[in-house]
Amino acid sequence: MKDYKYIGTDVTRIDALEKISGAAIYGDDIDFGANLLHAELVQSTMAHAIIKSIDISEALKVKGVYKIFTGKDFPYKFGLYMKDRYIFAQDKVRFVGEQIAAVIAFSPGAAKRAAELVKVEYEALPAVLDQMEALKDDTALLHPELADYPHVPWFFPKPGTNIAHWRKTRKGDLDKGFSEADFILEDTYQVPRYAHCAIETHVAVGKFDHSGRLTVWSSSQSPHTQRHLFAEALGLSHKDVRVIAPHVGGGFGGKAGVTMEIIPAALATKLKGYAVKLRYSREQEFINTYQRLGVVAKIKMGVKKDGTITALDHKIYWDAGAYVEYGANVVNAVGLSAIGPYRIHNVSIDSVCVYTNLPPGGAYRGFGYSEMLFGLESHITRIANELGLDQIEFRRKNAIKAGDLTAYGAKMNPNGLIECIDKVQQAIEWGKKPSSNDPTKVIGQGFSLFWKAPAMPPNASSSAFLKFNEDATINLIISGMDIGQGYQTVMAQIAAEILSVPPGKIRVETPDTDRNPYEWQTVASHITWSSGNAVKKAALDAREQILSLINRVYHYPIDELYLEDEAVKCQTDPAFLLPLKNFVVDGIMTRDGTFKGGPINARGMFMPEFSSTNGDPETSQGGHPNVHYTVGAAALNLEIDRETGKMRVLKAALAIDAGKALNPDLVRGQITGGLLQGLATVLYEDMRYNDKGKLLNPNFTDYKIPTSMDVPDEIIPIIVEVPQPDGPFGARGIGEHTMLPAAPMIANAVEDALGIRIKEMPITAEKVALAVLNKDKQ
């Protein structure tokens, strides 16, 4: 690391102590009193530059300032899948907004005032703001040390380039496939970056006590993963790191992994006995947390006259930003699945993760599949139209079925994709689009299929503890996060179903890594499947303990015993009934006055032991990286004002194969919410950067998100149930999938209504109006 010039003295300013009482921390209502310190970040104003000096002398004079820290204090790398990032910038900054220093003060105001007085001198370097530019030979190299970065074995970085990871998938004979085609369509599609826009911004508090114990309160989707990364980066034992996760005010992937949470954790280790709080502003939320990756997709597809797809060449270039420690796994996941839910025998996929000087990309609801499907499903519709085929029949003909091979050679799981297609076609009344009474308005129909697999390591696991109380109520102790999807409700339902206890008598708490057992992360739409299996196993363990105890005491055969209405009953002795509350803690007294049994405490664990990532790096053949896919179909009727370009979704239908809908109301809610979020990305949201890499609209005034006024007039949620063989009661996840078809549906409906194909998101009213104007001039 270059030793940049450091101006000022890092001293403790006890004389400036300002007694400020602490604030309540989300969920736990903890008051830290005068021991609560506030952190404010000094962030880079340059997209790419060498740090020549940091002058903190004026900042230290602000009343209430306690300490100021820079990268020299924390020369530690961290990262979930690739360790390419420092807690604070070291000798170089790589995006506008990157944290350079932190001011610690006894009030938020003092910290903010002082941070504004820190002076950073830079030496500008060429900024690379576009992934296609970053791939050129003469472009600045953003990470010369790439070869030295530790990473997971399924990443394939290309040192000496700006390629952080290149996922290659090959199947069949591509040249042969194209030679058999009667029609070939080749084109390029673009998807920009997007922000998560959770209403609650990121906030975390770290406290390092005098026993050497680090506790972090964090609004997080990943408490155990955060604990692991904190321990790794800061050189602590896992037993000495505790993460407490209160309820989350919106996540969508933006609070997965680790972003700003490691900052107060690290700062706390230098401020023993104090708690350090960092709360992001809305602007910081836009510029210095994960963003959805930008995409340039080049698609070439060959098709026979009868509609059989013969070949697909899919090249996807991802703008992953300045650091890819999480975002590269988005690239990896899509690179395995970019055939979409189709049966294609000859395939080439190149999914390329590229460093740029924009903020780091990471997990976002859909994990790259939304971006991929925008191009692919647009392409599918265009090919059907060119060949004069009904686009639904074209999709039905090529739809992947159980047993068909995926792009990487594994067999497709049982699924209800055809049923989804049929039900959406009927619900939307495909081919019978309504007409508008307003001569300035036209209506188009758009259709799309979708699929997604959980993107997770092969050893991602879930666990559960379950304990009965004296009154036969239950504490279910798990570590997934309820981020609005109803996770806690569904886990209680699974336990209730097995143990005959009403869900209302089962309490589920948010995680505390000291108390709650391990859970990888609440991401990837895997939590119902994975954590649900762990909870099911824990409930079965409890049931086995209960029935075994009854067998020991009363000698009824176990296979004749069952649980019903919070009691044990016997098939061969209708008179036998023993309420759970009579013995699940106290045990059962026998004739001689002794007791048998004791507290019923159970555990369950689930890991997909069949999953593997050992495929050939050049083809991806030979492994089983995805555990299963969730599939579906969707369609909508879109009204467009030809003069203004303003669009309104009149009706939308979305069908998803949930395997088994454990809570149908929650599934229907996810369909509605996910569809609206997807429509937001295609119709409203639009990140604008200037040529210096600065985001121009980091606020809800200029970055548009939908309101209740923008909800489609009618949404038809459709649940299809083809059981997942290894799912709890046949269930699989659906949380991310419901936003995936929104963008291609809009693009396809615009073309249907206006004869205009828009190949770059977002598809805003302005863009549509200009396209109509240009078409009318031709």
Side-chain angles (χ1 to χ4, degrees), residues 424 450 633-635 652-656 671 675 716-719 737-739 741:
V424 168
F450 59 89
L654 189 150
I656 190 163
I671 289 174
L675 181 61
I716 304 172
I718 302 167
I719 299 172
H737 306 73
T738 56
M739 76 169 288

Side-chain angles (χ1 to χ4, degrees), residues 68-81:
I68 297 177
F69 295 99
T70 70
K72 293 177 67 175
D73 300 295
F74 301 101
Y76 314 130
K77 278 199 183 85
F78 74 95
L80 183 57
Y81 294 101

Side-chain angles (χ1 to χ4, degrees), residues 496-523:
E497 181 72 16
I498 294 168
L499 296 171
S500 82
V501 175
K505 292 188 176 183
I506 300 176
R507 186 172 186 86
V508 187
E509 300 285 356
T510 56
D512 174 341
T513 58
D514 264 14
R515 176 191 68 198
N516 296 42
Y518 181 82
E519 176 65 54
W520 173 57
Q521 298 189 88
T522 304
V523 298

Side-chain angles (χ1 to χ4, degrees), residues 525 630 656-658 666-667 670-671 732-738:
S525 298
T630 297
I656 190 163
D657 178 9
L666 289 175
V667 174
Q670 287 297 300
I671 289 174
R732 64 175 75 87
I734 58 92
E736 295 173 275
H737 306 73
T738 56

Side-chain angles (χ1 to χ4, degrees), residues 438-442 639-648 683 754 763-773 776:
D438 187 336
T440 65
K441 295 179 180 178
V442 291
E639 181 186 73
I640 307 171
D641 189 315
R642 287 180 52 88
E643 295 180 350
T644 65
K646 186 175 181 179
M647 291 165 280
R648 183 166 65 102
L683 293 174
L754 299 171
I763 303 177
T764 59
E766 177 187 20
K767 193 176 290 185
V768 170
L770 290 173
V772 170
L773 187 62
D776 290 345

Side-chain angles (χ1 to χ4, degrees), residues 171-188:
K171 176 185 172 187
D173 186 330
L174 194 67
D175 291 338
K176 182 174 179 290
F178 281 120
S179 69
E180 294 173 349
D182 297 313
F183 176 76
I184 296 173
L185 179 64
E186 188 171 3
D187 214 333
T188 300

Side-chain angles (χ1 to χ4, degrees), residues 360-387:
Y364 182 106
R365 188 178 190 174
F367 213 70
Y369 283 74
S370 292
E371 300 91 290
M372 177 269 290
L373 286 168
F374 171 67
L376 185 63
E377 284 295 311
S378 295
H379 217 68
I380 289 286
T381 293
R382 294 174 64 191
I383 288 175
N385 291 341
E386 289 282 351
L387 293 176

